[in-house]
Amino acid sequence: MAIDITRFHQTFFEESFEGLDAMEAALLRLTPASADTEVINSIFRAAHSIKGGAATFGFSAVAEFTHLLETLLDQMRSGERETTSVEIDVLLRSVDVLRNLLNAARDGQPADAAAVKRLADELASVLSVEAGRPAPHAAVPVARAVEGWRIRFEPKPQLFASGNDPVRILRELASIGPITVRCDTASLPDLGDVHPEACYLAWDIELRADCTRESVMEVFAWVEDECHLMVAAMAPAAAVPTPAPTPAPTQTLPQTLPRVAGEGQSERAPAPAEPKVVPISATVAEPAPVAAAKDRRPEGARSDSGSIRIATEKIDSLVNLVGELVITQAMLQQLASVLDPVQHEKLFAGLSQLDRNTRSLQEAVMSTRMLPVDFVFSRFPRMVRDLAAKLGKQVRLVSSGEQTEIDKSVIERIADPLTHLVRNAIDHGIEKPDERVAAGKDAVGTMRLSASHQGGHIVVEISDDGRGLDRTRIMAKAAERGLPVSDAMPDSEVWPLIFAPGFSTAAEVTDVSGRGVGMDVVKKNIEALNGAVDISSEAGKGMRVTIRLPLTLAILDGMSVAVGDETFILPLSSVVESLQPQPDQVKRVAQAGTVVRVRNEYLPLVDLREWFALPGPKMATHKAIVVIVEAEGKKLAMQIDDLVGQQQVVIKNLESNYRRVRGISGATILGDGRVALIVDIGAVVRLLSHPANNVAIAA
């Protein structure tokens, strides 16, 4: 009965892509000046695991290309080849080709054969020159007196269930040197007791090759948890006489074994004519134990550390269910609010317990969606390296806050805007080395990426120490495009002009920039996440782009406030305090409107009734309630009619169901079924900073 190994494909591809990411990260750490052997070993292990898995599942194109890659890495780690920028560059490009091959194999699409052949030929060309010259930093290899290795390979019954194939193991051994195989069928049960997916055979193998024990162990890296393995060295005949072995049926495998079975099939090594076995222990010394598997697994590979893979759809479904539970819990609280708490003490106790459990469940579920921002940051070292080399620049990338966590949906949608901002900074901002030296700067430009939590938001900053934005050029380009500009405009109003659609100050169009496409998309994508983007720049010193994003797009803690018959939600992370001001605390200031004095600090006052043009008479400020909120480092006072309470709310997208409303980040469903708007405190702060925008906004 054939074993369906396609069920293991998803795991193979996930682990292979993790291995590629680990290879790329390690290659970016590798330099000719400091070719760390352990770093090269980690790259080799990742490549070897990918090759072994690809051979097991019949992805021959992946296995064949990775074999070339592995050969080059093996020469580098053994000290036979010097690690230079040539090897590092071709290995990095090989990672790209290997990623494309894996994508093609996963999607069932043909790969770019021409690109694969070009790089395979380049790898072969690199392998054909300078081989055998030891690297200056490498230790001189100690001469080995080894004629070969005797191996006892006893798979456990569940070997096939893990997607592995003994024939693939034998093929890899045969690629090292000639092998002689004796198949042991002693554990084979009667035909009626044979389980179709169990492995009952074992093999005694002689490998005739002067190689290291580590090279042999690498062949079994994928199966060492599913087998009993013994490896012992065979000394040369001149050193240790070897008695003639007892005659037994043997099978000598050539250097190239038959192709492994395709998808949906399994293949076993053919048994000899007579199931007679010559025990290896009769002719060799006691074998050494196998090294721990974890010592040879590539960085980023799967480990049995109590973690499991869960489809994103399942997590999203769970988040939606928790959101509905939050709404139901709010509905019950609303219904219970009209009851006597003394007469219904047990009911209120139960509702209180439900509130605590719902909050704990919500926090636990939301934590499963949180990922470190390093998932985005990790792509930039390679991109910065390649782009800087293409533009003839030298750039140093410094990142911090990589472990800052953010919702997965935000991570996925922020990647493209950040990519464009980084490319734009390298192309337009950072100067070429000679220009930097002439300006008294370090020839190597510095780009910084950082992420941090600030209140209920995550703040991502991209900065560089380049030339900064050219105010004169931006103003001229804006005037050319018919945008309203004047020499009296402050920098804070000039810099956002670069976000206008089609805006570009590039002198010529290249494949990097110059078409005026990108910065407007950056702003739209960030605003679609209910985020904000700000720019600061100083001529000759550099530029900084600050992006503020919500931690999650699903649930938030909010304060419910009433304005007339309407209910609004203020994000609790932005609320500082609430108070009822005295008449002498409220002042009218020319050209600044109404302000409220709170502990000798004058804060602009926003009446939500006027802001959203709601019907009904305006309440005097000293009779109303004022909520002090803070966002983007600025405070303001919001006048409301009443405080309703604090609760968790499920955020619903307002733009997709109605339209975009300035000053509103979304909506939610209250316990009584009504819709409440969620106030975007940051947007209100920004709108107030521009007097022209300080007008009533109909909701």
Side-chain angles (χ1 to χ4, degrees):
M1 182 181 296
I3 302 172
D4 181 14
I5 62 173
T6 59
R7 55 181 170 161
F8 303 109
H9 282 185
Q10 182 178 354
T11 300
F12 162 70
F13 286 118
E14 288 175 351
E15 293 188 349
S16 295
F17 285 121
E18 289 176 356
L20 282 179
D21 291 340
M23 288 175 64
E24 186 172 81
L27 283 167
L28 291 171
R29 296 197 305 270
L30 197 63
T31 62
S34 58
D36 189 342
T37 303
E38 184 51 40
V39 173
I40 299 176
N41 280 334
S42 70
I43 301 169
F44 177 86
R45 290 193 293 267
H48 183 79
S49 294
I50 293 172
K51 186 188 84 169
T56 297
F57 295 115
F59 301 123
S60 56
V62 176
E64 290 169 5
F65 183 82
T66 314
H67 181 71
L68 279 173
L69 197 64
E70 188 183 51
T71 303
L72 178 58
L73 287 165
D74 191 42
Q75 291 182 3
M76 292 167 61
R77 69 175 187 154
S78 66
E80 297 176 9
R81 176 177 295 276
E82 184 177 3
T83 301
T84 69
S85 58
V86 173
E87 280 79 6
I88 296 173
D89 181 66
V90 76
L91 286 171
L92 277 169
R93 286 184 284 119
S94 297
V95 169
D96 296 336
V97 170
L98 192 51
R99 183 175 282 112
N100 292 335
L101 280 170
L102 285 167
N103 280 324
R106 180 195 60 194
D107 301 335
Q109 301 293 327
D112 185 349
V116 175
K117 186 179 185 306
R118 280 196 303 270
L119 201 55
D121 291 344
E122 188 172 348
L123 276 169
S125 176
V126 171
L127 286 168
S128 67
V129 297
E130 296 187 350
R133 187 180 73 175
H137 59 272
V140 178
V142 179
R144 298 186 298 268
V146 176
E147 185 180 81
W149 301 89
R150 287 192 173 92
I151 305 161
R152 174 68 176 181
F153 174 37
E154 298 180 9
K156 296 179 182 177
Q158 68 269 23
L159 178 77
F160 292 142
S162 67
N164 285 292
D165 185 354
V167 175
R168 191 264 302 170
I169 306 289
L170 300 179
R171 180 183 295 110
E172 286 207 49
L173 281 174
S175 69
I176 299 176
I179 64 174
T180 302
V181 180
R182 300 180 182 87
C183 184
D184 182 352
T185 60
S187 299
L188 192 64
D190 294 335
L191 185 59
D193 298 328
V194 171
H195 190 284
E197 296 188 6
C199 182
Y200 299 103
L201 303 180
W203 289 270
D204 294 315
I205 308 163
E206 288 187 0
L207 169 62
R208 299 286 177 174
D210 183 10
C211 60
T212 63
R213 177 186 295 274
E214 185 181 18
S215 298
V216 177
M217 294 301 187
E218 290 287 357
V219 174
F220 296 91
W222 268 59
V223 298
E224 55 193 358
D225 291 333
E226 286 86 29
C227 73
H228 299 292
L229 184 65
M230 296 182 294
V231 179
M234 294 191 299
V240 180
T242 303
T246 305
T250 64
Q251 181 184 16
T252 302
L253 276 70
Q255 289 286 344
T256 303
L257 288 171
R259 187 180 183 276
V260 74
E263 297 180 13
Q265 299 178 338
S266 65
E267 205 174 79
R268 300 190 185 187
E274 299 177 15
K276 183 177 180 181
V277 179
V278 178
I280 288 291
S281 58
T283 57
V284 297
E286 184 68 22
V290 180
K294 65 181 180 180
D295 293 334
R296 292 191 296 280
R297 285 201 176 111
E299 297 176 14
R302 176 173 58 111
S303 63
D304 298 324
S305 58
S307 62
I308 59 174
R309 296 183 186 274
I310 301 177
T312 305
E313 293 79 7
K314 293 182 179 180
I315 298 295
D316 292 341
S317 176
L318 198 56
V319 170
N320 291 335
L321 288 173
V322 170
E324 295 302 318
L325 179 61
V326 169
I327 293 174
T328 303
Q329 187 262 341
M331 179 186 68
L332 293 175
Q333 291 281 15
Q334 183 88 8
L335 293 173
S337 63
V338 299
L339 301 177
D340 186 344
V342 176
Q343 293 182 1
H344 302 87
E345 181 180 356
K346 291 184 178 180
L347 174 62
F348 277 86
L351 289 174
S352 178
Q353 182 66 33
L354 175 63
D355 179 60
R356 289 193 295 272
N357 290 342
T358 301
R359 183 175 294 273
S360 298
L361 178 62
Q362 179 258 322
E363 291 174 353
V365 171
M366 293 308 299
S367 68
T368 63
R369 289 179 56 91
M370 304 300 280
L371 295 174
V373 77
D374 185 54
F375 273 75
V376 178
F377 281 11
S378 61
R379 70 177 59 187
F380 293 124
R382 173 69 186 281
M383 191 187 79
V384 169
R385 176 188 183 275
D386 293 348
L387 187 57
K390 184 174 185 177
L391 297 174
K393 299 180 179 182
Q394 298 178 20
V395 183
R396 179 192 304 111
L397 179 64
V398 180
S399 58
S400 60
E402 298 94 331
Q403 297 308 310
T404 303
E405 292 190 333
I406 189 172
D407 190 276
K408 181 179 182 294
S409 58
V410 180
I411 285 273
E412 293 170 345
R413 293 162 65 181
I414 195 61
D416 286 344
L418 287 181
T419 298
H420 184 84
L421 289 171
V422 170
R423 289 172 61 88
N424 193 69
I426 296 175
D427 188 24
H428 294 295
I430 296 180
E431 313 93 332
K432 291 189 176 182
D434 53 347
E435 295 177 46
R436 293 182 61 84
V437 172
K441 297 182 179 180
D442 185 352
V444 180
T446 300
M447 170 165 288
R448 299 183 184 275
L449 287 173
S450 67
S452 61
H453 284 149
Q454 293 184 14
H457 293 76
I458 182 173
V459 176
V460 180
E461 291 186 344
I462 305 98
S463 62
D464 64 77
D465 64 349
R467 58 173 62 93
L469 294 175
D470 189 331
R471 177 186 169 97
T472 303
R473 202 167 182 179
I474 292 174
M475 296 278 285
K477 189 67 175 181
E480 178 185 321
R481 294 184 54 81
L483 298 176
V485 294
S486 68
D487 293 338
M489 290 175 63
D491 288 345
S492 60
E493 295 181 17
V494 173
W495 307 146
L497 291 173
I498 67 174
F499 291 119
F503 194 96
S504 176
T505 58
E508 60 182 17
V509 176
T510 68
D511 58 351
V512 177
S513 64
R515 299 187 184 274
V517 178
M519 292 301 283
D520 59 324
V521 177
V522 167
K523 186 176 182 182
K524 288 178 181 177
N525 287 350
I526 292 172
E527 288 180 344
L529 293 170
N530 296 321
V533 56
D534 296 315
I535 296 178
S536 61
S537 177
E538 186 176 353
K541 297 293 183 63
M543 168 181 167
R544 180 187 304 273
V545 179
T546 303
I547 299 172
R548 292 179 176 83
L549 297 164
L551 286 178
T552 178
L553 302 180
I555 299 176
L556 62 78
D557 288 317
M559 175 179 287
S560 303
V561 300
V563 181
D565 295 331
E566 300 294 332
T567 301
F568 293 90
I569 305 296
L570 305 181
L572 199 60
S573 60
S574 299
V575 175
V576 178
E577 63 179 311
S578 60
L579 54 93
Q580 188 169 26
Q582 298 299 315
D584 61 351
Q585 290 182 267
V586 183
K587 304 289 184 183
R588 290 284 302 178
V589 179
Q591 298 181 348
T594 305
V595 297
V596 177
R597 179 173 54 83
V598 180
R599 288 184 290 278
N600 296 323
E601 184 179 8
Y602 287 91
L603 306 176
L605 178 66
V606 176
D607 186 340
L608 287 188
R609 183 184 298 275
E610 290 184 349
W611 185 268
F612 292 111
L614 299 176
K618 178 181 177 181
M619 185 181 295
T621 304
H622 65 277
K623 294 182 179 179
I625 295 177
V626 169
V627 179
I628 310 301
V629 294
E630 182 176 15
E632 303 180 13
K634 299 178 181 178
K635 291 181 180 180
L636 60 86
M638 286 189 168
Q639 180 176 325
I640 61 172
D641 293 349
D642 196 10
L643 291 172
V644 178
Q646 176 185 335
Q647 66 183 94
Q648 285 185 313
V649 296
V650 181
I651 303 174
K652 303 293 184 182
N653 190 295
L654 185 63
E655 187 172 358
S656 61
N657 296 291
Y658 173 52
R659 65 179 174 84
R660 186 173 184 84
V661 179
R662 292 191 300 172
I664 295 295
S665 61
T668 189
I669 301 174
L670 300 176
D672 58 4
R674 293 187 301 146
V675 174
L677 300 179
I678 302 171
V679 180
D680 187 342
I681 307 298
V684 175
V685 168
R686 289 191 298 276
L687 289 169
L688 280 177
S689 65
H690 299 283
N693 294 328
N694 190 8
V695 294
I697 303 170

